[in-house]
Amino acid sequence: MASLSFVSSSHVTLRAPSPNLRSSSPRPTSVSFSVKAQSVALSQDDLKKLAAEKAVESIKPGMVLGLGTGSTAAFAVDQIGKLLSSGQLHDIVGIPTSKRTEDQARSLGIPLVALDTHPRIDLAIDGADEVDPNLDLVKGRGGALLREKMVEAVAERFIVVADDTKLVKGLGGSGLAMPVEVVQFCWKFNLVRLRDLFREFGCEAKLRVGEGGEAYVTDNSNFIIDLYFKEPLKDGFAAGREIGKFEGVVEHGLFLGMATSVIIAGKNGVEVMNK
């Protein structure tokens, strides 16, 4: 059971890893698939494509699919489109997790529906920014964390695809952004609260900006505050609960107890880890 030790009104200590909510097994099992030797080294995009194509093998006719967002998920969506076009796959519909995934899917002829009409999803496929040993995730550096979580939370199976650079010993351990989506109203107020909440982990909080220097706006017309940790989180479940208590916070990028499988492509092969 996670415990919270309140040190001050704006600072919590997060201790002890929580059990996974979807699995009774303490650790994921894994199966490795070798990749034939290449005459040239595989690029990061090559590895992402390998993982994505392995995930697409799980799709069966008649499925409702959650279509993820980001560079790795885009390879999966592209493969689905190719299989539909060739007739190797049929009778599927997809629910996109962002406007850009929607545009990609439509361009490939993938039939699309919404959660309003299809609240049960057979399989969701998406990438991840971090994957820890319990298959818990950080997601949302592509800015689609809210829609991703809405779709993937109701999926019977959620397959994550990534290359081996995304593996971490603890969430936040990459030192890269862990996003929190917030309403635009008084965003700086929540930035300060989030930074102070994780002061113990050397947290730095920044408003995400776009290429033009303006605040990045999500598909849901919100802002994103990116949190950067010098130390990994000790308890992602407790951290997620505390973030969610702040008024004006819409969603966070901790995807906990959700992944049923993670497919990791490395230079020596493809590893499938299952809950």
Side-chain angles (χ1 to χ4, degrees), residues 100 141-142 207-217 226:
R100 60 184 177 276
R141 288 181 194 148
L207 177 70
R208 185 178 296 188
V209 297
E211 294 181 359
E214 300 293 326
Y216 176 88
V217 179
D226 285 319

Side-chain angles (χ1 to χ4, degrees), residues 58-65 84 87-93 122:
S58 296
I59 299 175
K60 307 298 180 187
M63 279 188 168
V64 178
L65 303 174
L84 280 172
Q88 297 176 71
L89 186 63
H90 55 88
D91 296 329
I92 60 98
V93 293
D122 298 293

Side-chain angles (χ1 to χ4, degrees), residues 84-107:
L84 280 172
S85 178
S86 67
Q88 297 176 71
L89 186 63
H90 55 88
D91 296 329
I92 60 98
V93 293
I95 300 178
T97 55
S98 66
K99 291 179 180 177
R100 60 184 177 276
T101 298
E102 178 181 354
D103 291 342
Q104 180 192 9
R106 289 192 188 283
S107 72

Side-chain angles (χ1 to χ4, degrees), residues 175-196:
L176 301 176
M178 196 284 281
V180 180
E181 188 163 344
V182 301
V183 298
Q184 294 191 31
F185 176 72
C186 294
W187 62 266
K188 192 176 293 185
F189 169 67
N190 271 324
L191 182 149
V192 172
R193 292 205 290 179
L194 289 164
R195 181 197 65 200
D196 290 348

